[in-house]
Amino acid sequence: MKKKSLLLLMSLIFVASAVVTGCGKNNNTEKESAPTTEPAKTNNAAEVKVNDEPFEITIRHTQVGEAKKFRLAMLEDVVKQTEAAVPGLKIKLDAVDSEVNRKEKLRGEMAAGKPPEVFDVFGSPDAALYAKEGLMLDLTSILNDLGIKEKFNTLAPFTYEDKIYGLPIGGSIEGYFYNKEYFEQKGLKVPTTIAELEQVAEAIKSDGKIPFAQSSKDAWIPLMTTNNLWSYYAGADITYGFKTGATKWTDPNVVKAVAKHEEWVEKGYYKKGELGFEYADMRNQVITGEAIMMMDGSWANSVFRDPAQAGDMVGKIGYFNMPPVNAGDPIIVMQDANNGYGFSSAVAEDPRKLQAVTEFIKNMWTDEMQLRGLKEDGVLPAMKISLDQMKATSDDALMQDIFKAVSEIGTSFPAFDALVQAEVNTALSMGIQQVIGGEFDAAKMLENVQAAQEAANATK
């Protein structure tokens, strides 16, 4: 293992004394050769005994909480199918909060060289980093054998040196959920520019409501808004250049975008105390009618379509893309397929576990499951499903709004944390919270982020 790549992995967990073990394992996913000693031939056509001795694999998932109950039900059905198909197999489900899994638990396990057999993983940049250290199973031959390698919209976030090390479970876009009934009652229209969005926000605030629901205890939530703003003001491609040094966080247009977010905070477009609110809190702000709009990923639609969670608000929520700065400009939207599952490279050393993983992939990544995820959970497919087929699968009005938003996209980009180093993500997360809290203005915050970027780039 190269010292430089080891240091890069260890920087993810910020523990200088961690010792990495279990690296450099064989990533070959081909099945082990059959025993050379054949049983003695007899006149009877006796079948070879199947090895049904009990064995176990663990699947680490993040389907935690009421909002993810449909996705959990799908996983449980796939687990049952897989156990039934593999003699002796018992699958243990290990549920962990998404942020805790990505930023704490999985990183610690990877540093120790002992991840579970199957685990929820973020594609770029995490999967490539773990693959570089020999900790993730190369799926290329498995996908070829199953005939599904070319059926995905993109595998780029999970690809390293032309090999595939994970699979996206679904796709997503980011935009605004809004109280459609309120808009109709107040004569408000879906905005077509940022200026019109601000006019709508002012009208809502004047009516005693909160324009934008927001929870900023976890920084990635407000950064959805900031990321979309700087992609409009500075261009959708600018984030690609930070890691190479071709672009800078202190670019005047990036400063202008973050300053716009800062301005919205200062104008009271968000509920006071947002730094203390959890993710579910902002959805409750919309459900109770306290707030009227909410920037979130398209995956959040399942909450607003579920009577158990949204109550009387079911059928009253719509969706639209963040509009451009200038009327008529292309719609720019965060769109990716970065959340999925990875598999431990240690699986390749055990033929039965490799069989179990192959069967899990075979059962999970099918057109049927992709469309079920769309219909039940509102997750856009990661596999190639036509827009017409998606529309036919779900006639729900909110989903139709999301399909319309997808069809309007002129330019898409991956989320910032798929393109920058972990240290930069941390600096950006701290920075946006400091801006929201009034500690720094946009310019000072971005100077700090640029300093973190330059330090990270220097370690290449």
Side-chain angles (χ1 to χ4, degrees), residues 27 44 88 100 113 127 147 164 182 281 283 326 340 357 370 418 444-445:
N27 277 0
N44 297 325
V100 173
I164 301 161
Y182 179 90
D281 293 331
R283 295 171 176 182
N326 302 307
V357 162
Q370 291 286 297
K444 177 60 178 175
M445 170 263 206

Side-chain angles (χ1 to χ4, degrees), residues 173-176 190-194 196-197 227-233 235-237 295 319-335 401-413:
I173 60 174
E174 289 173 357
Y176 285 104
V190 171
T192 60
T193 64
I194 292 292
E196 288 183 7
L197 179 63
N227 193 181
N228 280 268
L229 283 171
W230 84 59
S231 296
Y232 268 130
Y233 281 94
D237 293 336
M295 168 64 79
Y319 183 94
F320 62 86
N321 292 315
M322 178 183 279
V325 177
N326 302 307
D329 282 355
I331 302 294
I332 298 177
V333 174
M334 193 300 298
Q335 182 179 29
D401 276 358
I402 292 173
F403 299 150
K404 180 176 182 291
V406 171
S407 70
E408 292 173 347
I409 296 173
T411 302
S412 63
F413 62 91

Side-chain angles (χ1 to χ4, degrees), residues 154-403:
T154 180
L155 289 172
F158 297 91
T159 301
Y160 174 69
E161 294 186 342
D162 297 324
K163 294 181 180 180
I164 301 161
Y165 292 95
L167 296 172
I169 198 63
S172 64
I173 60 174
E174 289 173 357
Y176 285 104
F177 291 90
Y178 72 106
N179 187 325
K180 187 179 290 188
E181 182 180 63
Y182 179 90
F183 266 52
E184 292 171 353
Q185 290 173 349
K186 301 298 180 179
L188 300 175
K189 296 182 179 180
V190 171
T192 60
T193 64
I194 292 292
E196 288 183 7
L197 179 63
E198 291 177 307
Q199 291 171 6
V200 170
E202 282 293 342
I204 294 169
K205 181 185 174 185
S206 297
D207 192 42
K209 299 285 188 179
I210 299 168
F212 302 118
Q214 187 93 296
S215 297
S216 299
K217 186 174 182 179
D218 290 324
W220 68 269
I221 300 170
L223 280 170
M224 285 190 283
T225 295
T226 327
N227 193 181
N228 280 268
L229 283 171
W230 84 59
S231 296
Y232 268 130
Y233 281 94
D237 293 336
I238 193 168
T239 314
Y240 291 91
F242 296 142
K243 195 172 183 178
T244 65
T247 58
K248 295 183 181 297
W249 289 98
T250 50
D251 182 290
N253 287 317
V254 179
V255 176
K256 186 183 295 185
V258 178
K260 177 60 68 176
H261 192 164
E262 181 183 11
E263 177 188 332
W264 290 355
V265 173
E266 292 173 346
K267 285 185 174 181
Y269 290 171
Y270 304 100
K271 185 176 181 178
K272 290 183 179 180
E274 63 176 281
L275 288 171
F277 299 152
E278 302 280 357
Y279 186 33
D281 293 331
M282 71 178 190
R283 295 171 176 182
N284 289 333
Q285 291 173 29
V286 175
I287 290 169
T288 60
E290 184 181 20
I292 305 302
M293 297 181 288
M294 179 186 76
M295 168 64 79
D296 204 347
S298 56
W299 59 82
N301 72 80
S302 61
V303 173
F304 299 116
R305 295 188 299 116
D306 180 17
Q309 298 178 74
D312 294 340
M313 290 302 293
V314 172
K316 299 177 182 178
I317 301 296
Y319 183 94
F320 62 86
N321 292 315
M322 178 183 279
V325 177
N326 302 307
D329 282 355
I331 302 294
I332 298 177
V333 174
M334 193 300 298
Q335 182 179 29
D336 72 3
N338 224 357
N339 289 100
Y341 285 100
F343 306 84
S344 170
S345 58
V347 166
E349 301 171 3
D350 187 327
R352 298 182 76 199
K353 288 187 176 182
L354 185 59
Q355 180 192 6
V357 162
T358 301
E359 190 67 28
F360 175 77
I361 293 172
K362 176 183 175 182
N363 293 326
M364 177 62 85
W365 282 276
T366 65
D367 287 355
E368 178 186 358
M369 292 303 291
Q370 291 286 297
L371 290 173
R372 180 179 167 186
L374 175 65
K375 185 176 181 63
E376 296 181 9
D377 201 32
V379 174
L380 297 174
M383 302 178 78
K384 294 175 181 177
I385 306 290
S386 71
L387 189 59
D388 287 342
Q389 194 171 3
M390 287 192 283
K391 289 179 178 179
T393 299
S394 177
D395 59 0
D396 179 84
L398 177 53
M399 291 306 304
Q400 293 295 317
D401 276 358
I402 292 173
F403 299 150

